[in-house]
PDB file of all heavy atoms in Angstrom:
ATOM      1  N   ALA F  31     121.223-137.412 -59.743  1.00 86.00           N
ATOM      2  CA  ALA F  31     121.987-136.935 -60.912  1.00 86.00           C
ATOM      3  C   ALA F  31     121.297-135.562 -61.408  1.00 86.00           C
ATOM      4  O   ALA F  31     120.216-135.304 -60.999  1.00 86.00           O
ATOM      5  CB  ALA F  31     121.854-137.923 -62.085  1.00 86.00           C
ATOM      6  N   PRO F  32     122.105-134.816 -62.130  1.00 87.00           N
ATOM      7  CA  PRO F  32     121.688-133.523 -62.671  1.00 87.00           C
ATOM      8  C   PRO F  32     120.406-133.673 -63.511  1.00 87.00           C
ATOM      9  O   PRO F  32     120.224-134.745 -64.061  1.00 87.00           O
ATOM     10  CB  PRO F  32     122.775-133.003 -63.376  1.00 87.00           C
ATOM     11  CG  PRO F  32     124.031-133.683 -62.812  1.00 87.00           C
ATOM     12  CD  PRO F  32     123.533-135.025 -62.518  1.00 87.00           C
ATOM     13  N   LYS F  33     119.614-132.607 -63.665  1.00 87.00           N
ATOM     14  CA  LYS F  33     118.366-132.628 -64.441  1.00 87.00           C
ATOM     15  C   LYS F  33     118.712-133.043 -65.943  1.00 87.00           C
ATOM     16  O   LYS F  33     117.894-133.685 -66.605  1.00 87.00           O
ATOM     17  CB  LYS F  33     117.734-131.307 -64.462  1.00 87.00           C
ATOM     18  CG  LYS F  33     117.118-130.925 -63.065  1.00 87.00           C
ATOM     19  CD  LYS F  33     116.438-129.492 -63.181  1.00 87.00           C
ATOM     20  CE  LYS F  33     115.811-129.166 -61.921  1.00 87.00           C
ATOM     21  NZ  LYS F  33     115.126-127.894 -61.902  1.00 87.00           N
ATOM     22  N   ASP F  34     119.904-132.699 -66.369  1.00 86.00           N
ATOM     23  CA  ASP F  34     120.272-133.137 -67.768  1.00 86.00           C
ATOM     24  C   ASP F  34     120.164-134.651 -68.024  1.00 86.00           C
ATOM     25  O   ASP F  34     119.847-135.055 -69.143  1.00 86.00           O
ATOM     26  CB  ASP F  34     121.579-132.594 -68.107  1.00 86.00           C
ATOM     27  CG  ASP F  34     121.888-132.693 -69.576  1.00 86.00           C
ATOM     28  OD1 ASP F  34     121.190-132.118 -70.333  1.00 86.00           O
ATOM     29  OD2 ASP F  34     122.890-133.375 -69.969  1.00 86.00           O
ATOM     30  N   VAL F  35     120.410-135.466 -66.996  1.00 88.00           N
ATOM     31  CA  VAL F  35     120.319-136.897 -67.176  1.00 88.00           C
ATOM     32  C   VAL F  35     118.950-137.268 -67.420  1.00 88.00           C
ATOM     33  O   VAL F  35     118.600-138.088 -68.284  1.00 88.00           O
ATOM     34  CB  VAL F  35     120.936-137.556 -65.937  1.00 88.00           C
ATOM     35  CG1 VAL F  35     120.695-139.102 -66.048  1.00 88.00           C
ATOM     36  CG2 VAL F  35     122.459-137.382 -65.843  1.00 88.00           C
ATOM     37  N   THR F  36     118.017-136.660 -66.651  1.00 92.00           N
ATOM     38  CA  THR F  36     116.581-136.970 -66.895  1.00 92.00           C
ATOM     39  C   THR F  36     116.156-136.440 -68.221  1.00 92.00           C
ATOM     40  O   THR F  36     115.473-137.182 -69.060  1.00 92.00           O
ATOM     41  CB  THR F  36     115.682-136.254 -65.875  1.00 92.00           C
ATOM     42  OG1 THR F  36     116.119-136.810 -64.485  1.00 92.00           O
ATOM     43  CG2 THR F  36     114.264-136.535 -66.088  1.00 92.00           C
ATOM     44  N   LEU F  37     116.499-135.251 -68.667  1.00 90.00           N
ATOM     45  CA  LEU F  37     116.021-134.636 -69.859  1.00 90.00           C
ATOM     46  C   LEU F  37     116.548-135.378 -71.140  1.00 90.00           C
ATOM     47  O   LEU F  37     115.741-135.771 -71.961  1.00 90.00           O
ATOM     48  CB  LEU F  37     116.425-133.226 -70.006  1.00 90.00           C
ATOM     49  CG  LEU F  37     115.833-132.283 -68.986  1.00 90.00           C
ATOM     50  CD1 LEU F  37     116.489-130.827 -69.135  1.00 90.00           C
ATOM     51  CD2 LEU F  37     114.302-132.122 -69.225  1.00 90.00           C
ATOM     52  N   ARG F  38     117.822-135.754 -71.138  1.00 90.00           N
ATOM     53  CA  ARG F  38     118.453-136.448 -72.230  1.00 90.00           C
ATOM     54  C   ARG F  38     118.039-137.957 -72.151  1.00 90.00           C
ATOM     55  O   ARG F  38     117.982-138.600 -73.186  1.00 90.00           O
ATOM     56  CB  ARG F  38     119.990-136.172 -72.290  1.00 90.00           C
ATOM     57  CG  ARG F  38     120.224-134.706 -72.592  1.00 90.00           C
ATOM     58  CD  ARG F  38     121.758-134.452 -72.356  1.00 90.00           C
ATOM     59  NE  ARG F  38     122.581-135.192 -73.274  1.00 90.00           N
ATOM     60  CZ  ARG F  38     123.284-134.768 -74.173  1.00 90.00           C
ATOM     61  NH1 ARG F  38     123.116-133.406 -74.523  1.00 90.00           N
ATOM     62  NH2 ARG F  38     124.091-135.527 -74.914  1.00 90.00           N
ATOM     63  N   GLY F  39     117.963-138.480 -70.956  1.00 93.00           N
ATOM     64  CA  GLY F  39     117.654-139.834 -70.795  1.00 93.00           C
ATOM     65  C   GLY F  39     116.265-140.236 -71.260  1.00 93.00           C
ATOM     66  O   GLY F  39     116.163-141.421 -71.746  1.00 93.00           O
ATOM     67  N   ARG F  40     115.259-139.395 -71.349  1.00 94.00           N
ATOM     68  CA  ARG F  40     113.947-139.768 -71.718  1.00 94.00           C
ATOM     69  C   ARG F  40     113.993-140.210 -73.229  1.00 94.00           C
ATOM     70  O   ARG F  40     113.216-141.027 -73.559  1.00 94.00           O
ATOM     71  CB  ARG F  40     113.079-138.517 -71.543  1.00 94.00           C
ATOM     72  CG  ARG F  40     112.870-138.174 -70.117  1.00 94.00           C
ATOM     73  CD  ARG F  40     111.930-136.982 -69.886  1.00 94.00           C
ATOM     74  NE  ARG F  40     110.635-137.206 -70.301  1.00 94.00           N
ATOM     75  CZ  ARG F  40     109.618-136.256 -70.218  1.00 94.00           C
ATOM     76  NH1 ARG F  40     109.893-135.102 -69.626  1.00 94.00           N
ATOM     77  NH2 ARG F  40     108.399-136.528 -70.639  1.00 94.00           N
ATOM     78  N   ALA F  41     114.892-139.570 -74.054  1.00 95.00           N
ATOM     79  CA  ALA F  41     114.944-139.938 -75.455  1.00 95.00           C
ATOM     80  C   ALA F  41     115.494-141.279 -75.619  1.00 95.00           C
ATOM     81  O   ALA F  41     115.280-141.965 -76.741  1.00 95.00           O
ATOM     82  CB  ALA F  41     115.694-138.923 -76.235  1.00 95.00           C
ATOM     83  N   ALA F  42     116.203-141.807 -74.658  1.00 97.00           N
ATOM     84  CA  ALA F  42     116.904-143.143 -74.891  1.00 97.00           C
ATOM     85  C   ALA F  42     115.829-144.299 -75.054  1.00 97.00           C
ATOM     86  O   ALA F  42     116.019-145.203 -75.684  1.00 97.00           O
ATOM     87  CB  ALA F  42     117.733-143.493 -73.651  1.00 97.00           C
ATOM     88  N   ILE F  43     114.695-144.185 -74.389  1.00 97.00           N
ATOM     89  CA  ILE F  43     113.664-145.205 -74.443  1.00 97.00           C
ATOM     90  C   ILE F  43     113.257-145.332 -75.903  1.00 97.00           C
ATOM     91  O   ILE F  43     113.140-146.442 -76.423  1.00 97.00           O
ATOM     92  CB  ILE F  43     112.490-144.853 -73.480  1.00 97.00           C
ATOM     93  CG1 ILE F  43     112.989-144.900 -72.094  1.00 97.00           C
ATOM     94  CG2 ILE F  43     111.424-145.921 -73.655  1.00 97.00           C
ATOM     95  CD1 ILE F  43     111.952-144.430 -71.043  1.00 97.00           C
ATOM     96  N   ASP F  44     112.978-144.241 -76.578  1.00 97.00           N
ATOM     97  CA  ASP F  44     112.535-144.377 -77.977  1.00 97.00           C
ATOM     98  C   ASP F  44     113.652-144.804 -78.875  1.00 97.00           C
ATOM     99  O   ASP F  44     113.441-145.527 -79.867  1.00 97.00           O
ATOM    100  CB  ASP F  44     111.986-143.048 -78.473  1.00 97.00           C
ATOM    101  CG  ASP F  44     110.587-142.665 -77.825  1.00 97.00           C
ATOM    102  OD1 ASP F  44     109.940-143.581 -77.460  1.00 97.00           O
ATOM    103  OD2 ASP F  44     110.401-141.474 -77.819  1.00 97.00           O
ATOM    104  N   TRP F  45     114.889-144.362 -78.561  1.00 98.00           N
ATOM    105  CA  TRP F  45     116.006-144.746 -79.374  1.00 98.00           C
ATOM    106  C   TRP F  45     116.186-146.254 -79.392  1.00 98.00           C
ATOM    107  O   TRP F  45     116.333-146.871 -80.418  1.00 98.00           O
ATOM    108  CB  TRP F  45     117.323-144.070 -78.847  1.00 98.00           C
ATOM    109  CG  TRP F  45     118.449-144.167 -79.752  1.00 98.00           C
ATOM    110  CD1 TRP F  45     118.938-143.232 -80.623  1.00 98.00           C
ATOM    111  CD2 TRP F  45     119.521-145.289 -79.793  1.00 98.00           C
ATOM    112  NE1 TRP F  45     120.075-143.716 -81.273  1.00 98.00           N
ATOM    113  CE2 TRP F  45     120.383-144.972 -80.765  1.00 98.00           C
ATOM    114  CE3 TRP F  45     119.606-146.444 -79.075  1.00 98.00           C
ATOM    115  CZ2 TRP F  45     121.458-145.831 -81.128  1.00 98.00           C
ATOM    116  CZ3 TRP F  45     120.655-147.274 -79.419  1.00 98.00           C
ATOM    117  CH2 TRP F  45     121.630-146.983 -80.419  1.00 98.00           C
ATOM    118  N   TRP F  46     116.208-146.826 -78.153  1.00 98.00           N
ATOM    119  CA  TRP F  46     116.377-148.334 -78.061  1.00 98.00           C
ATOM    120  C   TRP F  46     115.128-149.054 -78.712  1.00 98.00           C
ATOM    121  O   TRP F  46     115.318-150.054 -79.390  1.00 98.00           O
ATOM    122  CB  TRP F  46     116.506-148.685 -76.651  1.00 98.00           C
ATOM    123  CG  TRP F  46     117.841-148.458 -76.041  1.00 98.00           C
ATOM    124  CD1 TRP F  46     118.234-147.455 -75.127  1.00 98.00           C
ATOM    125  CD2 TRP F  46     119.022-149.039 -76.353  1.00 98.00           C
ATOM    126  NE1 TRP F  46     119.518-147.407 -74.916  1.00 98.00           N
ATOM    127  CE2 TRP F  46     120.111-148.330 -75.570  1.00 98.00           C
ATOM    128  CE3 TRP F  46     119.440-150.086 -77.185  1.00 98.00           C
ATOM    129  CZ2 TRP F  46     121.482-148.826 -75.631  1.00 98.00           C
ATOM    130  CZ3 TRP F  46     120.722-150.487 -77.192  1.00 98.00           C
ATOM    131  CH2 TRP F  46     121.777-149.816 -76.460  1.00 98.00           C
ATOM    132  N   SER F  47     113.923-148.469 -78.431  1.00 97.00           N
ATOM    133  CA  SER F  47     112.728-149.235 -78.990  1.00 97.00           C
ATOM    134  C   SER F  47     112.805-149.272 -80.499  1.00 97.00           C
ATOM    135  O   SER F  47     112.252-150.225 -81.117  1.00 97.00           O
ATOM    136  CB  SER F  47     111.489-148.508 -78.518  1.00 97.00           C
ATOM    137  OG  SER F  47     111.324-148.510 -77.140  1.00 97.00           O
ATOM    138  N   ALA F  48     113.406-148.260 -81.155  1.00 97.00           N
ATOM    139  CA  ALA F  48     113.513-148.268 -82.553  1.00 97.00           C
ATOM    140  C   ALA F  48     114.521-149.211 -83.186  1.00 97.00           C
ATOM    141  O   ALA F  48     114.504-149.408 -84.361  1.00 97.00           O
ATOM    142  CB  ALA F  48     113.766-146.873 -83.081  1.00 97.00           C
ATOM    143  N   ARG F  49     115.390-149.773 -82.222  1.00 97.00           N
ATOM    144  CA  ARG F  49     116.520-150.580 -82.738  1.00 97.00           C
ATOM    145  C   ARG F  49     116.601-151.948 -82.293  1.00 97.00           C
ATOM    146  O   ARG F  49     117.327-152.755 -82.855  1.00 97.00           O
ATOM    147  CB  ARG F  49     117.847-149.777 -82.583  1.00 97.00           C
ATOM    148  CG  ARG F  49     117.964-148.436 -83.367  1.00 97.00           C
ATOM    149  CD  ARG F  49     118.994-147.604 -82.823  1.00 97.00           C
ATOM    150  NE  ARG F  49     119.073-146.344 -83.641  1.00 97.00           N
ATOM    151  CZ  ARG F  49     118.236-145.287 -83.503  1.00 97.00           C
ATOM    152  NH1 ARG F  49     117.212-145.403 -82.616  1.00 97.00           N
ATOM    153  NH2 ARG F  49     118.377-144.271 -84.374  1.00 97.00           N
ATOM    154  N   VAL F  50     116.084-152.197 -81.168  1.00 96.00           N
ATOM    155  CA  VAL F  50     116.173-153.579 -80.588  1.00 96.00           C
ATOM    156  C   VAL F  50     114.802-153.999 -80.044  1.00 96.00           C
ATOM    157  O   VAL F  50     113.948-153.196 -79.636  1.00 96.00           O
ATOM    158  CB  VAL F  50     117.170-153.546 -79.369  1.00 96.00           C
ATOM    159  CG1 VAL F  50     118.575-152.991 -79.731  1.00 96.00           C
ATOM    160  CG2 VAL F  50     116.582-152.771 -78.153  1.00 96.00           C
ATOM    161  N   PRO F  51     114.530-155.242 -80.051  1.00 91.00           N
ATOM    162  CA  PRO F  51     113.225-155.781 -79.579  1.00 91.00           C
ATOM    163  C   PRO F  51     113.263-155.954 -78.054  1.00 91.00           C
ATOM    164  O   PRO F  51     114.355-155.668 -77.389  1.00 91.00           O
ATOM    165  CB  PRO F  51     113.221-157.185 -80.210  1.00 91.00           C
ATOM    166  CG  PRO F  51     114.621-157.614 -80.344  1.00 91.00           C
ATOM    167  CD  PRO F  51     115.387-156.354 -80.687  1.00 91.00           C
ATOM    168  N   GLU F  52     112.193-156.226 -77.567  1.00 89.00           N
ATOM    169  CA  GLU F  52     111.989-156.542 -76.040  1.00 89.00           C
ATOM    170  C   GLU F  52     112.261-155.318 -75.152  1.00 89.00           C
ATOM    171  O   GLU F  52     112.827-155.587 -74.029  1.00 89.00           O
ATOM    172  CB  GLU F  52     113.010-157.754 -75.783  1.00 89.00           C
ATOM    173  CG  GLU F  52     112.652-159.003 -76.521  1.00 89.00           C
ATOM    174  CD  GLU F  52     113.621-160.088 -76.295  1.00 89.00           C
ATOM    175  OE1 GLU F  52     114.571-159.949 -75.416  1.00 89.00           O
ATOM    176  OE2 GLU F  52     113.502-161.163 -76.864  1.00 89.00           O
ATOM    177  N   VAL F  53     112.104-154.153 -75.669  1.00 97.00           N
ATOM    178  CA  VAL F  53     112.153-153.051 -74.679  1.00 97.00           C
ATOM    179  C   VAL F  53     110.800-153.015 -73.950  1.00 97.00           C
ATOM    180  O   VAL F  53     109.745-152.912 -74.567  1.00 97.00           O
ATOM    181  CB  VAL F  53     112.362-151.689 -75.344  1.00 97.00           C
ATOM    182  CG1 VAL F  53     112.194-150.491 -74.366  1.00 97.00           C
ATOM    183  CG2 VAL F  53     113.745-151.653 -75.989  1.00 97.00           C
ATOM    184  N   VAL F  54     110.840-153.238 -72.694  1.00 97.00           N
ATOM    185  CA  VAL F  54     109.621-153.347 -71.871  1.00 97.00           C
ATOM    186  C   VAL F  54     109.203-152.124 -71.303  1.00 97.00           C
ATOM    187  O   VAL F  54     109.956-151.542 -70.443  1.00 97.00           O
ATOM    188  CB  VAL F  54     109.820-154.469 -70.701  1.00 97.00           C
ATOM    189  CG1 VAL F  54     108.555-154.651 -69.998  1.00 97.00           C
ATOM    190  CG2 VAL F  54     110.214-155.771 -71.321  1.00 97.00           C
ATOM    191  N   ARG F  55     108.079-151.505 -71.655  1.00 97.00           N
ATOM    192  CA  ARG F  55     107.664-150.265 -71.128  1.00 97.00           C
ATOM    193  C   ARG F  55     106.492-150.439 -70.070  1.00 97.00           C
ATOM    194  O   ARG F  55     105.367-150.284 -70.379  1.00 97.00           O
ATOM    195  CB  ARG F  55     107.017-149.394 -72.372  1.00 97.00           C
ATOM    196  CG  ARG F  55     108.065-148.932 -73.411  1.00 97.00           C
ATOM    197  CD  ARG F  55     107.425-148.237 -74.582  1.00 97.00           C
ATOM    198  NE  ARG F  55     108.327-147.767 -75.554  1.00 97.00           N
ATOM    199  CZ  ARG F  55     108.717-146.497 -75.709  1.00 97.00           C
ATOM    200  NH1 ARG F  55     108.163-145.546 -74.973  1.00 97.00           N
ATOM    201  NH2 ARG F  55     109.520-146.156 -76.713  1.00 97.00           N
ATOM    202  N   ARG F  56     106.900-150.810 -68.918  1.00 98.00           N
ATOM    203  CA  ARG F  56     105.888-151.016 -67.826  1.00 98.00           C
ATOM    204  C   ARG F  56     106.272-150.234 -66.642  1.00 98.00           C
ATOM    205  O   ARG F  56     105.669-150.398 -65.538  1.00 98.00           O
ATOM    206  CB  ARG F  56     105.813-152.543 -67.466  1.00 98.00           C
ATOM    207  CG  ARG F  56     105.248-153.360 -68.573  1.00 98.00           C
ATOM    208  CD  ARG F  56     105.032-154.788 -68.156  1.00 98.00           C
ATOM    209  NE  ARG F  56     104.211-154.892 -66.941  1.00 98.00           N
ATOM    210  CZ  ARG F  56     102.869-154.947 -67.010  1.00 98.00           C
ATOM    211  NH1 ARG F  56     102.251-154.804 -68.188  1.00 98.00           N
ATOM    212  NH2 ARG F  56     102.078-155.055 -65.873  1.00 98.00           N
ATOM    213  N   GLY F  57     107.181-149.332 -66.752  1.00 98.00           N
ATOM    214  CA  GLY F  57     107.401-148.381 -65.694  1.00 98.00           C
ATOM    215  C   GLY F  57     108.314-148.953 -64.595  1.00 98.00           C
ATOM    216  O   GLY F  57     108.710-150.149 -64.615  1.00 98.00           O
ATOM    217  N   THR F  58     108.480-148.153 -63.527  1.00 98.00           N
ATOM    218  CA  THR F  58     109.295-148.537 -62.360  1.00 98.00           C
ATOM    219  C   THR F  58     108.521-148.300 -61.105  1.00 98.00           C
ATOM    220  O   THR F  58     107.841-147.292 -60.984  1.00 98.00           O
ATOM    221  CB  THR F  58     110.584-147.725 -62.281  1.00 98.00           C
ATOM    222  OG1 THR F  58     111.401-147.844 -63.536  1.00 98.00           O
ATOM    223  CG2 THR F  58     111.482-148.067 -61.140  1.00 98.00           C
ATOM    224  N   LEU F  59     108.487-149.331 -60.253  1.00 98.00           N
ATOM    225  CA  LEU F  59     107.812-149.238 -58.930  1.00 98.00           C
ATOM    226  C   LEU F  59     108.871-149.077 -57.862  1.00 98.00           C
ATOM    227  O   LEU F  59     109.698-149.984 -57.671  1.00 98.00           O
ATOM    228  CB  LEU F  59     106.956-150.381 -58.723  1.00 98.00           C
ATOM    229  CG  LEU F  59     106.094-150.445 -57.398  1.00 98.00           C
ATOM    230  CD1 LEU F  59     105.222-149.229 -57.325  1.00 98.00           C
ATOM    231  CD2 LEU F  59     105.334-151.821 -57.458  1.00 98.00           C
ATOM    232  N   VAL F  60     108.758-147.989 -57.147  1.00 98.00           N
ATOM    233  CA  VAL F  60     109.826-147.754 -56.059  1.00 98.00           C
ATOM    234  C   VAL F  60     109.068-147.963 -54.711  1.00 98.00           C
ATOM    235  O   VAL F  60     107.989-147.373 -54.363  1.00 98.00           O
ATOM    236  CB  VAL F  60     110.295-146.225 -56.075  1.00 98.00           C
ATOM    237  CG1 VAL F  60     111.303-146.032 -54.977  1.00 98.00           C
ATOM    238  CG2 VAL F  60     111.042-146.023 -57.503  1.00 98.00           C
ATOM    239  N   LEU F  61     109.762-148.782 -53.858  1.00 97.00           N
ATOM    240  CA  LEU F  61     109.189-149.267 -52.583  1.00 97.00           C
ATOM    241  C   LEU F  61     110.181-148.974 -51.424  1.00 97.00           C
ATOM    242  O   LEU F  61     111.431-148.814 -51.715  1.00 97.00           O
ATOM    243  CB  LEU F  61     108.860-150.719 -52.599  1.00 97.00           C
ATOM    244  CG  LEU F  61     108.005-151.132 -53.747  1.00 97.00           C
ATOM    245  CD1 LEU F  61     107.938-152.682 -53.724  1.00 97.00           C
ATOM    246  CD2 LEU F  61     106.536-150.542 -53.542  1.00 97.00           C
ATOM    247  N   ALA F  62     109.651-149.044 -50.187  1.00 96.00           N
ATOM    248  CA  ALA F  62     110.549-148.971 -49.069  1.00 96.00           C
ATOM    249  C   ALA F  62     109.894-149.698 -47.943  1.00 96.00           C
ATOM    250  O   ALA F  62     108.609-149.655 -47.879  1.00 96.00           O
ATOM    251  CB  ALA F  62     110.825-147.488 -48.556  1.00 96.00           C
ATOM    252  N   PRO F  63     110.622-150.505 -47.050  1.00 93.00           N
ATOM    253  CA  PRO F  63     109.918-151.073 -45.909  1.00 93.00           C
ATOM    254  C   PRO F  63     109.430-150.026 -45.068  1.00 93.00           C
ATOM    255  O   PRO F  63     109.847-148.836 -45.016  1.00 93.00           O
ATOM    256  CB  PRO F  63     111.242-151.813 -45.242  1.00 93.00           C
ATOM    257  CG  PRO F  63     112.242-151.950 -46.344  1.00 93.00           C
ATOM    258  CD  PRO F  63     112.106-150.672 -47.125  1.00 93.00           C
ATOM    259  N   PRO F  64     108.484-150.349 -44.119  1.00 90.00           N
ATOM    260  CA  PRO F  64     107.828-149.429 -43.239  1.00 90.00           C
ATOM    261  C   PRO F  64     108.871-148.636 -42.432  1.00 90.00           C
ATOM    262  O   PRO F  64     108.697-147.443 -42.216  1.00 90.00           O
ATOM    263  CB  PRO F  64     106.907-150.278 -42.417  1.00 90.00           C
ATOM    264  CG  PRO F  64     106.600-151.395 -43.274  1.00 90.00           C
ATOM    265  CD  PRO F  64     107.801-151.714 -44.055  1.00 90.00           C
ATOM    266  N   ARG F  65     109.973-149.285 -42.015  1.00 91.00           N
ATOM    267  CA  ARG F  65     110.930-148.654 -41.137  1.00 91.00           C
ATOM    268  C   ARG F  65     111.731-147.555 -41.934  1.00 91.00           C
ATOM    269  O   ARG F  65     112.322-146.701 -41.276  1.00 91.00           O
ATOM    270  CB  ARG F  65     111.972-149.635 -40.476  1.00 91.00           C
ATOM    271  CG  ARG F  65     112.779-150.291 -41.562  1.00 91.00           C
ATOM    272  CD  ARG F  65     113.753-151.320 -40.862  1.00 91.00           C
ATOM    273  NE  ARG F  65     114.557-151.902 -41.826  1.00 91.00           N
ATOM    274  CZ  ARG F  65     114.248-153.057 -42.491  1.00 91.00           C
ATOM    275  NH1 ARG F  65     112.977-153.535 -42.442  1.00 91.00           N
ATOM    276  NH2 ARG F  65     115.009-153.637 -43.366  1.00 91.00           N
ATOM    277  N   ASP F  66     111.681-147.668 -43.212  1.00 92.00           N
ATOM    278  CA  ASP F  66     112.408-146.715 -44.093  1.00 92.00           C
ATOM    279  C   ASP F  66     111.498-145.833 -44.881  1.00 92.00           C
ATOM    280  O   ASP F  66     111.777-145.342 -46.029  1.00 92.00           O
ATOM    281  CB  ASP F  66     113.358-147.519 -45.013  1.00 92.00           C
ATOM    282  CG  ASP F  66     114.402-148.255 -44.324  1.00 92.00           C
ATOM    283  OD1 ASP F  66     114.959-147.831 -43.298  1.00 92.00           O
ATOM    284  OD2 ASP F  66     114.645-149.424 -44.726  1.00 92.00           O
ATOM    285  N   ALA F  67     110.250-145.593 -44.421  1.00 91.00           N
ATOM    286  CA  ALA F  67     109.311-144.796 -45.063  1.00 91.00           C
ATOM    287  C   ALA F  67     109.830-143.402 -45.424  1.00 91.00           C
ATOM    288  O   ALA F  67     109.454-142.776 -46.455  1.00 91.00           O
ATOM    289  CB  ALA F  67     107.980-144.711 -44.340  1.00 91.00           C
ATOM    290  N   ALA F  68     110.642-142.840 -44.531  1.00 93.00           N
ATOM    291  CA  ALA F  68     111.186-141.510 -44.847  1.00 93.00           C
ATOM    292  C   ALA F  68     112.053-141.466 -46.154  1.00 93.00           C
ATOM    293  O   ALA F  68     112.191-140.428 -46.861  1.00 93.00           O
ATOM    294  CB  ALA F  68     112.109-141.122 -43.696  1.00 93.00           C
ATOM    295  N   GLU F  69     112.652-142.626 -46.467  1.00 94.00           N
ATOM    296  CA  GLU F  69     113.455-142.736 -47.650  1.00 94.00           C
ATOM    297  C   GLU F  69     112.464-142.502 -48.894  1.00 94.00           C
ATOM    298  O   GLU F  69     112.906-141.954 -49.889  1.00 94.00           O
ATOM    299  CB  GLU F  69     114.175-144.076 -47.805  1.00 94.00           C
ATOM    300  CG  GLU F  69     115.334-144.198 -46.943  1.00 94.00           C
ATOM    301  CD  GLU F  69     116.459-143.128 -47.334  1.00 94.00           C
ATOM    302  OE1 GLU F  69     116.943-143.295 -48.516  1.00 94.00           O
ATOM    303  OE2 GLU F  69     116.836-142.339 -46.615  1.00 94.00           O
ATOM    304  N   LEU F  70     111.359-143.129 -48.835  1.00 96.00           N
ATOM    305  CA  LEU F  70     110.452-142.929 -49.873  1.00 96.00           C
ATOM    306  C   LEU F  70     109.983-141.539 -50.074  1.00 96.00           C
ATOM    307  O   LEU F  70     109.846-141.005 -51.230  1.00 96.00           O
ATOM    308  CB  LEU F  70     109.202-143.894 -49.599  1.00 96.00           C
ATOM    309  CG  LEU F  70     108.324-144.235 -50.862  1.00 96.00           C
ATOM    310  CD1 LEU F  70     109.202-145.010 -51.921  1.00 96.00           C
ATOM    311  CD2 LEU F  70     107.126-145.123 -50.392  1.00 96.00           C
ATOM    312  N   THR F  71     109.707-140.884 -49.000  1.00 96.00           N
ATOM    313  CA  THR F  71     109.349-139.444 -49.130  1.00 96.00           C
ATOM    314  C   THR F  71     110.432-138.568 -49.642  1.00 96.00           C
ATOM    315  O   THR F  71     110.194-137.743 -50.488  1.00 96.00           O
ATOM    316  CB  THR F  71     108.919-138.915 -47.763  1.00 96.00           C
ATOM    317  OG1 THR F  71     107.857-139.744 -47.198  1.00 96.00           O
ATOM    318  CG2 THR F  71     108.515-137.499 -47.749  1.00 96.00           C
ATOM    319  N   ARG F  72     111.672-138.887 -49.202  1.00 95.00           N
ATOM    320  CA  ARG F  72     112.804-138.126 -49.695  1.00 95.00           C
ATOM    321  C   ARG F  72     112.976-138.399 -51.163  1.00 95.00           C
ATOM    322  O   ARG F  72     113.268-137.466 -51.966  1.00 95.00           O
ATOM    323  CB  ARG F  72     114.015-138.619 -49.002  1.00 95.00           C
ATOM    324  CG  ARG F  72     115.328-137.895 -49.435  1.00 95.00           C
ATOM    325  CD  ARG F  72     116.621-138.673 -49.019  1.00 95.00           C
ATOM    326  NE  ARG F  72     116.678-139.983 -49.529  1.00 95.00           N
ATOM    327  CZ  ARG F  72     117.013-140.293 -50.760  1.00 95.00           C
ATOM    328  NH1 ARG F  72     117.309-139.335 -51.552  1.00 95.00           N
ATOM    329  NH2 ARG F  72     117.043-141.608 -51.203  1.00 95.00           N
ATOM    330  N   PHE F  73     112.852-139.715 -51.662  1.00 96.00           N
ATOM    331  CA  PHE F  73     113.053-139.976 -53.042  1.00 96.00           C
ATOM    332  C   PHE F  73     111.931-139.280 -53.904  1.00 96.00           C
ATOM    333  O   PHE F  73     112.310-138.699 -55.027  1.00 96.00           O
ATOM    334  CB  PHE F  73     112.842-141.458 -53.251  1.00 96.00           C
ATOM    335  CG  PHE F  73     113.440-141.990 -54.492  1.00 96.00           C
ATOM    336  CD1 PHE F  73     114.788-142.416 -54.648  1.00 96.00           C
ATOM    337  CD2 PHE F  73     112.605-142.166 -55.583  1.00 96.00           C
ATOM    338  CE1 PHE F  73     115.268-142.900 -55.826  1.00 96.00           C
ATOM    339  CE2 PHE F  73     113.048-142.592 -56.794  1.00 96.00           C
ATOM    340  CZ  PHE F  73     114.417-142.985 -56.966  1.00 96.00           C
TER     341      PHE F  73
END
């Protein structure tokens, strides 16, 4: 997606946290099987 999605989307975490419970801030882990290691590098 365009950079604007990242820039504007970052504020969404605080917006939701201020209004609803159970926003889990533990990040995202991105993986790839060994045969698809190139996908991880591309990502």
Side-chain angles (χ1 to χ4, degrees):
K33 290 182 179 180
D34 190 60
V35 172
T36 298
L37 293 174
R38 293 167 63 108
R40 292 177 69 176
I43 299 176
D44 289 336
W45 192 94
W46 286 106
S47 295
R49 292 163 180 81
V50 306
E52 302 175 2
V53 174
V54 181
R55 295 175 178 252
R56 292 186 59 81
T58 302
L59 182 59
V60 180
L61 305 172
R65 66 179 181 276
D66 298 321
E69 283 295 300
L70 201 59
T71 302
R72 180 197 61 77
F73 198 90

